[in-house]
Amino acid sequence: MGGTFTLFPSQGSTLAGRVDNLYFFMLAVTLFFTVLVAALVVVLALKYRRKQADQVGANIHGSTALEVIWTAIPLLIAMVMFVWGTNVYFALAKPPAEAMEVYIIGKRWMWKAQHLTGHREINQLHVPIGRPVKLLISSEDVIHSYYIPAFRQKMDAVPGKTTTMWFEATKPGEYQLFCAEYCGTQHSGMIGKVIAMEPRAYQQWLAAGAPAGTLTSNGEQEFTTLGCVTCHREDGKGRGPSLVGVFGKSQALADGSSVHVDEAYLRESILNPQAKMVPNYQPIMPTYQGQISEDALVSLIAYIKSLEKPGAAPAGAAGTHEAAPAAGTH
Amino acid sequence: MHDVRTEPAPSASQAPTTPEVHYINATHGAMSWFFTKDHKRIALLYLYAVSAFFLVGGIFAMLIRLELATPRGDLLTAETYNKVFTAHGVVMVFFFLIPVVPTILGNFLVPIMIGAKDLAFPRLNLASWYVYMAGGLFGVAALVSGGVDTGWTFYTPYSTAASNTHVVLTGLGAFIAGFSSIFTGINFIVTIHTMRAPGMTWDRLPLFIWSHYAASLIMILGTPVVAVTLLMVVLERTLGLGFFNPALGGDPVLYQHLFWFYSHPAVYIMVLPAMGVISELVSAFSRKPVFGYKMVAIASLGIALVGFLVWGHHMFTTSQSVLAAMVFSILSFLVAIPSAIKVFNWTATLYRGSVELASPMLYALGFIGLFTIGGLTGLFLAAIGLDIHVHDTYFVVAHFHYVMVGGTVTAYLGGLHFWWPKMTGKLYSEGWAKVAAVLVFVGFNLTFFPQFVLGYLGMPRRYHAYPVEELSWQVLNILSSAGASILGIGFLLPAFYLTYSALKGQPAGPNPWGAYGLEWETTSPPPTANFEVTPIVTKPAYYYAPEEH
Ligand code: HEM
Ligand SMILES: [Cu+2]
């Protein structure tokens, strides 16, 4: 045994307080109705206790007025909860545009984190406080779930998908990190720490373990090694479309529809290139399903995201990279 | 207040007696039981089988609680622990909770309550027991050959691509048991439609019948979906078909949609019949009609139908679109309303009643309290912003135990006590029964209430060990484990005094509670044909006193 005894989790993120307020509201409603029902049951059961063996109750069938009231009031309260809960959910689900990005890969039984700076960590995540952090989460094998109770945030890591989650830590400290989706034998061992640091300390941490390459430069290497570069030439004269500046834009497709270029689309195009074809190109790209590790995939996606049109002002979605820790990753 | 006799009070000279010939002793020998077509005997066959599974599931529960009393995984290995909670979940859900009320109480009472001689398809009824046993056999085979570690939800791709335990056997077991459920549902629906006694109009049906009707709809509409889903898992594992495997173009989340499309309504297969039991108990022990009979009946159907539209609330953290999350959230709030209505109706039924706090009534009142907490905490999970934090933590474990154990199991125990004299013709020890009811209530709350706190503190479910530095987690887990021992005693006691009563109990007479309903107009135990002459119904349900004018 050890540690401190508490019946309430610490609040480590900007949104934790908002989640807790909703929790307290619902707790109050629950308490009120539970006490009300319990009191009514006890009082009525005692007050109308059977006095003689053959006594019967009053022949009351119901009351429309009462039924309307006790349908309407719970409905009203439920709708308040719905609106409030949805409101909090919007905040939890939508990362701010300027958030710095970290890639997370779940794998039995560990959490790998890849920073754009090229820093890699296992079962740890160092983040600065006072700055929104967006996690791009994927899985190498089965479904996992990235869960930081102190931040009141959680998101599944689903194989074949990239999911996102965000938070902004408010206090320096170490916070528990769990896997919340059952994933096999060592599920309960798939835990770690999120280490929130003062920005200055964070910069020192970055400097202390400076890796050889950044995530995007690793991605660039993969891009060359895997031969992507032979077709996806920057000048657009290759047998595949140029990937410069496509991220965050809308891409017209051969079947007449269009798609928003996000992480999911990039992932799909690498693993299953024939699924959504760009017009005027032959379906000649090989599928990389099973040929490429989740790590390489993540760095490729990060690299493609970083490709800017030369001279284009970093604006809109593309601006997110500029906010990333090591400026000048490309 | 009226003082109308419901039946002549028994005087010493006319003490209740047991009829000479009844369904239990009408024929003899093992074969007369294993080939019986009598719904009452089949109900007893189910009683033995389902109780055995409950015991097995309970032993696994105790193992889970023992392991979690310390933060370190020191009692079982991680692998064994995972198999134990999977076995606990599979056994409790597929072989106890889903069948318990419909196959035991429903089988026994549905025909009697509507004045019929038997169910519409007696052979199908017997077949459904054999199918259930066959499914159970597969489950047991999976257990003894090494178990399965996927959790009772069999999430892909863990179950299809990663686990090397007996997923196929277990999946087939649940698949087969599903057919038993479908058979029972069909039987109930046809029986209720076609075999009601003269005068038993739809608006005179006991609420027990209404709730079984609603649950049967789910059984026949939903069960095929889970059957197909489990089959897909089996096919993917054995033949490598890639429905749920992204590497083969499948989608792991598709599995969750299919699974919860059945398994969420399945919660209502468990809880609706339980609600039917509670309506009967509250009315009988207040000796007055259920307040708002019509609304309660309609609410049952409403819950059954809307219950099909909320499955997505199990997937709020699975990268669901924001719009889908909102729709599933609001629908989940809406489905909670009919349940709230029922709680108020039962409570209001007590008003100006003639309330007797006999043991079945203690269970019923306990149910109202536990179900209220279970239902209200469901709202926490329906509120998306809050669900993100508590999803897949012990908060959820606490919530569904309040609904399913607090709801289904206490209602079942209350109903079993209430109709036990009818089923066996014997009276049990009321003193012991009250002790057991109180132990269940206290033990239950001590077991599961701390789990709400644990969940909000962030303890994920399905954890074999937890961080030592979380001191409060250990304290709460110890409380929970202590409660589980009390609860366990509360569950075991009835096995003893009920068995004892069946052998040595006093004769009960046709209507020991002075309750109203066709089942109390025949002998205890009833004859094979249920009634000596087909009853003719002339009064509404719960007619304890003449109409006031
Ligand atoms: C003494 C009584 C009981 C105790 C102490 C107990 C304990 C537990 C615990 C600790 C878990 C969580 C396993 C996990 O998520 O790691 C669990 C899961 C579960 N329990 Fe119970 N339980 C009890 C009774 C019951 C009963 C009576 C039922 C059904 C009638 C039931 C149905 C379930 C189900 C369906 C699960 C989900 C299994 C899963 O997550 O895979 N439990 N129980
Ligand atoms: Cu995991």
Side-chain angles (χ1 to χ4, degrees), chain B residues 161-178:
Chain B
S163 173
N164 48 18
T165 58
H166 297 275
V167 179
V168 171
L169 264 184
T170 317
L172 285 177
F175 174 79
I176 294 169

Side-chain angles (χ1 to χ4, degrees), chain B residues 54 58 61-62 64-65 68 81 85-86 88-90 92-93 96-97 151-153 394 397 400-401 404-405 409 447-448 451 461-463 480 484-485 487-488 491:
Chain B
F54 188 47
M62 291 314 292
I64 295 174
R65 280 318 330 164
L68 293 179
Y81 179 82
F85 79 67
T86 300
H88 169 69
V90 169
M92 286 299 196
V93 171
F96 176 73
L97 284 171
W152 74 277
T153 49
Y394 264 84
V397 176
F400 72 67
H401 279 85
M404 301 197 315
V405 185
V409 181
T447 308
F448 295 108
Q451 295 183 6
R461 70 195 281 206
R462 299 173 172 181
Y463 262 33
S480 181
S485 335
L487 186 58
F491 285 151

Side-chain angles (χ1 to χ4, degrees), chain A residues 107-109 111 142-145 179-183 187 190:
Chain A
K107 171 186 161 67
R108 288 180 298 160
W109 288 279
W111 289 112
V142 301
I143 303 179
H144 303 276
S145 191
C179 174
E181 182 60 77
Y182 176 72
C183 59
H187 168 55
M190 192 166 160

Side-chain angles (χ1 to χ4, degrees), chain B residues 37 64 111 125 142 164 197 210 248 277 289 326 332 339 366 437 496 549:
Chain B
K37 280 171 271 160
I64 295 174
N125 195 21
N164 48 18
W210 271 112
L248 299 173
V277 171
M326 281 176 68
S332 306
S339 310
F496 293 108
H549 290 292

Side-chain angles (χ1 to χ4, degrees), chain B residues 165-209:
Chain B
T165 58
H166 297 275
V167 179
V168 171
L169 264 184
T170 317
L172 285 177
F175 174 79
I176 294 169
F179 282 94
S180 158
S181 195
I182 297 173
F183 291 173
T184 304
I186 293 173
N187 225 337
F188 282 175
I189 288 189
V190 175
T191 306
I192 295 170
H193 268 277
T194 61
M195 298 181 64
R196 283 169 287 127
M200 180 55 91
T201 52
W202 286 92
D203 57 354
R204 287 176 180 170
L205 283 183
L207 289 166
F208 182 86
I209 301 294

Side-chain angles (χ1 to χ4, degrees), chain B residues 135-303:
Chain B
L137 221 62
F138 272 83
V140 170
L143 265 182
V144 295
S145 59
V148 62
D149 73 342
T150 58
W152 74 277
T153 49
F154 305 105
Y155 268 21
T156 57
Y158 185 72
S159 64
T160 48
S163 173
N164 48 18
T165 58
H166 297 275
V167 179
V168 171
L169 264 184
T170 317
L172 285 177
F175 174 79
I176 294 169
F179 282 94
S180 158
S181 195
I182 297 173
F183 291 173
T184 304
I186 293 173
N187 225 337
F188 282 175
I189 288 189
V190 175
T191 306
I192 295 170
H193 268 277
T194 61
M195 298 181 64
R196 283 169 287 127
M200 180 55 91
T201 52
W202 286 92
D203 57 354
R204 287 176 180 170
L205 283 183
L207 289 166
F208 182 86
I209 301 294
W210 271 112
S211 62
H212 272 76
Y213 187 82
S216 302
L217 286 176
I218 305 179
M219 290 187 219
I220 57 181
L221 294 176
T223 315
V225 179
V226 78
V228 169
T229 311
L230 290 172
L231 210 59
M232 286 164 87
V233 167
V234 169
L235 291 177
E236 180 151 344
R237 258 188 94 87
T238 50
L239 303 180
L241 305 186
F243 307 113
F244 310 123
N245 185 348
L248 299 173
D251 179 359
V253 181
L254 171 66
Y255 172 83
Q256 298 184 19
H257 282 285
L258 291 170
F259 179 81
W260 289 114
F261 182 77
Y262 164 77
S263 294
H264 189 82
V267 174
Y268 304 114
I269 300 185
M270 309 169 199
V271 162
L272 279 171
M275 290 171 152
V277 171
I278 297 303
S279 294
E280 300 299 319
L281 296 182
V282 170
S283 160
F285 291 98
S286 308
R287 292 233 178 101
K288 64 195 282 287
V290 174
F291 192 91
Y293 166 93
K294 268 214 182 97
M295 273 309 280
V296 176
I298 293 171
S300 298
L301 292 176
I303 292 175

